[in-house]
Amino acid sequence: MFDTDKSYDIQFLGKKESLQKEPMEAKSIFRFKAAKRKYFDTVEHYNFGVSAIKYCDLRDKDSKNAYTKIFNDHDGFKVIATCIKIMHNLWKNDPKISFAFYASPRLVDLEKLNSSRKKTALTNEEYYEKYKRTRFNIYEHAMINLFPPKVFWKAKDWNNCIYVLLNKKRRKGASRLAQIGKYLLENHEIIFEVVGDSQVRIRNKQEIRIG
């Protein structure tokens, strides 16, 4: 079970409306103090009905690579639990909200990782793929425990470490998923491919609703 009670205290800094309204309508801004640094947490609300959460070191908030950094502060679980708590609180205030997040993969040298790893049943490549998606795996575990399938469709792009929660109180789940894919391609050059056990998926560019 994922416990958001083991999180840091959250400070809400306000909601800032976007002047253009396309594709981002507004952003909710939070801050929290962790063991070794202060974090800046932003939830971006998009006009296709999805809110994307991201966080970084407060000192890096204006940096180009702020949201891809991963720190070895030994409190990663508690930091992620705090971000999940922010999502959960937003859901309580807006029962129709949908979410998306990008869980930055770890950048690691494969040879160095294999030389230091403990023996497991996994091959070196399997271990590497699992290790670099540590943050994504924690997020996914939290989604399963805290956001029930009777309320949300869940879709994941494992290759790009993107996870989506589509609220069933808003219709046309696959259409919204297609809009997410369009946004990621046009703004971040990411080819969004939903695979695995996702409950909503796009296949051969055809919109399909499952659930």
Side-chain angles (χ1 to χ4, degrees):
M1 188 69 180
F2 197 94
D3 188 2
T4 55
D5 288 336
K6 297 178 180 179
S7 58
Y8 291 111
D9 292 335
I10 301 164
Q11 180 183 5
F12 176 53
L13 301 180
K15 188 173 182 178
K16 186 177 180 181
E17 301 292 330
S18 175
L19 296 177
Q20 295 181 342
K21 299 290 184 181
E22 289 189 9
M24 186 175 66
E25 296 180 326
K27 62 173 64 176
S28 298
I29 304 171
F30 304 85
R31 181 172 61 189
F32 61 91
K33 185 178 180 181
K36 296 185 178 180
R37 66 190 72 245
K38 294 179 180 178
Y39 281 93
F40 184 77
D41 194 303
T42 304
V43 181
E44 298 175 341
H45 308 286
Y46 289 91
N47 62 359
F48 42 83
V50 174
S51 296
I53 186 167
K54 58 184 184 180
Y55 65 95
C56 68
D57 187 314
L58 182 62
R59 294 170 294 185
D60 295 330
K61 67 183 182 69
D62 297 319
S63 170
K64 182 179 179 180
N65 300 317
Y67 297 98
T68 60
K69 289 185 177 181
I70 295 179
F71 303 102
N72 293 317
D73 292 345
H74 306 293
D75 66 342
F77 190 92
K78 193 170 183 179
V79 170
I80 293 176
T82 307
C83 295
I84 300 298
K85 189 169 185 177
I86 289 172
M87 293 171 62
H88 213 252
N89 290 342
L90 289 171
W91 174 36
K92 288 181 180 179
N93 292 327
D94 180 5
K96 293 184 178 181
I97 196 170
S98 295
F99 292 104
F101 64 80
Y102 168 66
S104 299
R106 290 184 176 187
L107 300 178
V108 63
D109 183 273
L110 182 57
E111 291 186 5
K112 289 183 179 180
L113 180 65
N114 290 335
S115 65
S116 62
R117 62 170 286 198
K118 296 180 180 179
K119 287 186 177 181
T120 68
L122 299 175
T123 66
N124 285 346
E125 185 64 25
E126 288 171 338
Y127 183 80
Y128 170 72
E129 292 296 330
K130 183 177 180 180
Y131 179 85
K132 76 177 184 179
R133 290 176 175 81
T134 300
R135 183 183 287 185
F136 180 86
N137 292 334
I138 295 174
Y139 265 117
E140 183 178 20
H141 176 67
M143 298 305 109
I144 293 171
N145 280 276
L146 297 176
F147 298 90
K150 67 179 181 180
V151 180
F152 292 94
W153 287 302
K154 299 171 184 180
K156 61 182 178 182
D157 179 345
W158 191 79
N159 287 329
N160 290 308
C161 296
I162 297 170
Y163 201 100
V164 180
L165 287 168
L166 293 176
N167 200 307
K168 292 183 178 181
K169 291 186 177 181
R170 293 182 182 270
R171 302 183 64 183
K172 300 181 179 180
S175 177
R176 281 183 286 149
L177 205 62
Q179 289 177 296
I180 294 172
K182 182 175 182 291
Y183 170 79
L184 289 171
L185 182 61
E186 292 178 350
N187 293 273
H188 300 284
E189 297 182 345
I190 292 175
I191 299 175
F192 183 54
E193 296 181 324
V194 178
V195 295
D197 58 353
S198 300
Q199 297 163 312
V200 182
R201 54 181 74 120
I202 298 175
R203 214 178 274 159
N204 298 326
K205 297 183 180 181
Q206 297 296 316
E207 295 180 8
I208 300 173
R209 172 173 163 176
I210 298 175

